[in-house]
Amino acid sequence: MAVYMSDGHLEFTFDLGTGVATIRSGEPVTLGEWHELRLSRTGRLAILQVDSMAPTQAMAPGAFTQLSLPQNLYIGGVPNFDMVSPKVRVRTSFVGCIQKVVINNQPLQILAAALGGVNVDNCPHPCVTRPCGDEGRCVPEMDYFTCECAQGYHDTQCQQHAAPTMLQDIPIPRFAGNSYLHYSDPDTMRRIISYKININMRFRTTSSMGLLLWSGRCNMSAAGDFLALGIADGYLHFRFNLGSGEVTIPYNFTQVDDGLWHRVKAVRNEQEGSVTVDNGTTVTKRSPGKLRQLNTDTGLYIGGMENIDHASQNKYKNGMVGCISDLILDTDYHVKLVQMSTAGKNIKHCG
């Protein structure tokens, strides 16, 4: 299999042993800008998508469905193009930057895991200047970055202060898109895992997408139980699956990515769910099937979670960017967001 650029388009060519298939992006990519390429293959069918372009697909001929790859994986080029199938139309290596490679939901450590390499240098990017200091890791996000700070450091650049603010001292947590707070205590979980749940949360954000709240299963499947509050295209939604089918309840009356404080109330009473934002109109839907109880085993995540793509079965790509000031379960159980958490990552103070 090969991924390459040809005449400005991205192409994916593969051969399962009974004939070659090639997919080509519908439009050429703009040069000098970051792009995201998503590829998937299931049996003979492959799908390619670049950024928000319409996906394209191709079906390999023949009856074979398994891809056998005895060679190593090469990124950016190869030592000798004689080793590349003549069915691949290009014979030059890539010139540019590759920021991230994720294979089957597992990030590839492009440099640290490489067996060898030639003529590889830093790409011009803010992370080159080590903006997160000695106590943080710079995570590139296209032209920008976020800092993953060691616990106990809340400064934007993870710099150590004479008396650093510890996580427990943060009254209102701020999330950076790769942050989360996790809860697994019995009092919280018995309110999540039940026939009914009432969630009342106050938040603000300027991001048009992100995960606010999640509880799911460790071995998540398409039919696995989960409950989530999230934002898509600037609007909030409530979604859950009790094991017999997923329901999504979008709230399209109020756009919430305006940087102002908003309050969401999400209620699930067995199969019926409802969501309200800022005391507006309540939207109600019912989940399919007959199952009525939520059975999850991951605990409760607020603001995001670790390995979010894989853990949510690609329902979410990143956590929220913003602040959460209030979380009440079942009308009277006030969750002390930072103090009660059993784990947290990249949490800062909401200024």
Side-chain angles (χ1 to χ4, degrees), residues 29-313:
V29 297
T30 51
L31 301 182
E33 297 179 7
W34 287 108
H35 299 280
E36 182 178 43
L37 167 66
R38 291 183 174 270
L39 280 171
S40 66
R41 184 191 64 84
T42 304
R44 295 165 50 219
L45 175 67
I47 300 173
L48 177 150
Q49 184 175 20
V50 181
D51 299 331
S52 58
M53 298 180 194
T56 54
Q57 62 183 45
M59 183 81 75
F64 291 177
T65 59
Q66 186 171 347
L67 190 64
S68 299
L69 300 171
Q71 289 184 345
N72 291 328
L73 173 69
Y74 292 90
I75 301 290
V78 290
N80 188 332
F81 272 92
D82 290 342
M83 65 193 299
V84 177
S85 167
K87 298 169 185 175
V88 176
R89 299 196 295 182
V90 296
R91 283 295 180 269
T92 54
S93 295
F94 177 69
V95 178
C97 301
I98 296 175
Q99 188 174 101
K100 182 187 295 185
V101 179
V102 180
I103 302 173
N104 292 338
N105 295 311
Q106 297 299 316
L108 178 69
Q109 302 298 318
I110 299 177
L111 292 178
L115 300 176
V118 175
N119 294 334
V120 177
D121 201 355
N122 274 328
C123 183
H125 190 274
C127 278
V128 176
T129 63
R130 299 180 69 245
C132 301
D134 295 331
E135 298 296 333
R137 184 171 76 92
C138 186
V139 180
E141 294 179 1
M142 295 197 172
D143 280 323
Y144 305 101
F145 68 93
T146 58
C147 290
E148 288 189 352
C149 302
Q151 187 162 314
Y153 295 83
H154 73 104
D155 185 89
T156 304
Q157 297 179 321
C158 303
Q159 298 296 321
Q160 185 174 12
H161 303 295
T165 301
M166 300 305 293
L167 190 63
Q168 289 77 12
D169 297 330
I170 297 175
I172 299 177
R174 176 164 60 91
F175 302 82
N178 59 350
S179 317
Y180 66 84
L181 288 169
H182 182 243
Y183 309 83
S184 57
D185 61 282
D187 286 340
T188 299
M189 292 318 301
R190 68 182 175 85
R191 289 167 169 83
I192 298 294
I193 305 169
S194 64
Y195 290 94
K196 302 177 182 179
I197 181 67
N198 185 316
I199 301 167
N200 188 319
M201 178 187 286
R202 184 171 179 261
F203 70 95
R204 72 179 186 191
T205 182
T206 55
S207 178
S208 63
M209 62 181 63
L211 177 65
L212 287 172
L213 178 148
W214 172 273
S215 186
R217 298 192 64 81
C218 291
N219 297 313
M220 191 71 183
S221 65
D225 287 26
F226 78 91
L227 181 141
L229 278 171
I231 300 169
D233 298 323
Y235 293 89
L236 190 134
H237 61 257
F238 179 39
R239 60 202 292 189
F240 57 89
N241 189 338
L242 305 178
S244 55
E246 179 179 334
V247 61
T248 300
I249 311 172
Y251 196 88
N252 297 324
F253 297 105
T254 304
Q255 194 159 351
V256 297
D257 59 348
D258 54 7
L260 303 176
W261 286 105
H262 296 278
R263 186 172 290 278
V264 55
K265 297 178 183 178
V267 178
R268 184 187 68 82
N269 187 345
E270 298 184 351
Q271 291 174 270
E272 186 171 282
S274 64
V275 61
T276 311
V277 176
D278 297 336
N279 295 315
T281 303
T282 299
V283 181
T284 302
K285 280 189 178 182
R286 190 176 180 86
S287 68
K290 297 182 178 180
L291 298 178
R292 299 175 298 143
Q293 184 174 4
L294 180 74
N295 293 296
T296 62
D297 58 10
T298 60
L300 174 66
Y301 285 92
I302 299 297
M305 57 181 166
E306 58 229 323
N307 200 6
I308 192 167
D309 282 34
H310 177 68
S312 70
Q313 284 241 320

